[in-house]
Amino acid sequence: TKGTLSLRHKKQLYEGALSLSNGSENLAVQGTVNLNSAQPTYDLTGTTYKLNVGQLLQSKNFSTDLNSRFTLQGEGFDLRQLNLQSSVVCAPSVINDVVLPNGTAATLSIAQQGTASRVKVTSDFFDVTAEGHYTFEDLTALGWMALSGISHEVARLNIWGETAQLNPPANMLT
């Protein structure tokens, strides 16, 4: 694996770029992080070319050939105060045996103010909106619990052959 990293820093403003290459696989990310206020802000853009996430996760049952461009803008790092907008648009890509045609897109937005939160996911496959008086941290814990239950059922019923079970991080259950 080869890579380059550049970082510029002035007061609490960081600008950087990261490029990683492993044979034909490439990942490039550039952006800024501003720590000058109580709520840090960030703005990232990037591209992937033939990226195999399964290799990064050391999974024998999951492989990808991701070709995409993505963006992420947000403020805050604390899950209780996180606000962000993210999008990804794929060139032809593959996740396991599922082919994503050119232009396949997905977005994620998280907006929190006080005790009110809104999480919205839109994609070519499904759209989901969760809105109410909860924190994103609460929703993340609930999501992990739901994914864990689904994963256990998929494994129990052997739906996809050998299946790794997803378990929530220990701190998500407290």
Side-chain angles (χ1 to χ4, degrees):
T1 301
K2 296 189 292 185
T4 60
L5 172 67
S6 66
L7 185 63
R8 291 188 313 173
H9 162 252
K10 183 176 183 181
K11 298 192 180 189
Q12 294 292 312
L13 178 64
Y14 297 86
E15 296 178 355
L18 171 68
S19 177
L20 297 173
S21 177
N22 182 14
S24 63
E25 294 179 81
N26 293 295
L27 169 67
V29 180
Q30 54 278 334
T32 60
V33 177
N34 187 343
L35 302 176
N36 283 313
S37 64
Q39 281 287 69
T41 60
Y42 38 92
D43 187 352
L44 305 171
T45 61
T47 59
T48 64
Y49 180 73
K50 301 189 86 45
L51 183 66
N52 184 357
V53 177
Q55 188 176 32
L56 293 172
L57 299 174
Q58 299 179 348
S59 172
K60 295 177 183 170
N61 299 322
F62 181 68
S63 67
T64 65
D65 180 350
L66 296 179
N67 304 288
S68 65
R69 64 183 188 280
F70 58 88
T71 64
L72 173 72
Q73 300 87 35
E75 65 178 22
F77 296 115
D78 182 340
L79 289 181
R80 292 168 292 191
Q81 299 174 347
L82 181 71
N83 290 289
L84 67 81
Q85 297 280 328
S86 180
S87 68
V88 62
V89 177
C90 293
S93 296
V94 178
I95 300 175
N96 281 347
D97 295 327
V98 178
V99 176
L100 304 177
N102 191 40
T104 299
T107 64
L108 166 68
S109 73
I110 301 169
Q112 299 184 91
Q113 185 172 4
T115 62
S117 296
R118 178 185 174 115
V119 176
K120 184 174 183 179
V121 176
T122 61
S123 72
D124 294 347
F125 304 104
F126 66 90
D127 297 340
V128 176
T129 301
E131 192 169 4
H133 292 280
Y134 59 86
T135 66
F136 181 65
E137 187 175 43
D138 295 338
L139 184 62
T140 302
L142 182 61
W144 270 109
M145 288 174 58
L147 281 174
S148 178
I150 292 168
S151 171
H152 285 283
E153 284 303 300
V154 166
R156 185 179 70 79
L157 298 173
N158 199 22
I159 292 174
W160 291 307
E162 290 183 35
T163 304
Q165 293 185 6
L166 295 173
N167 294 302
N171 65 346
M172 288 290 184
L173 298 176
T174 58

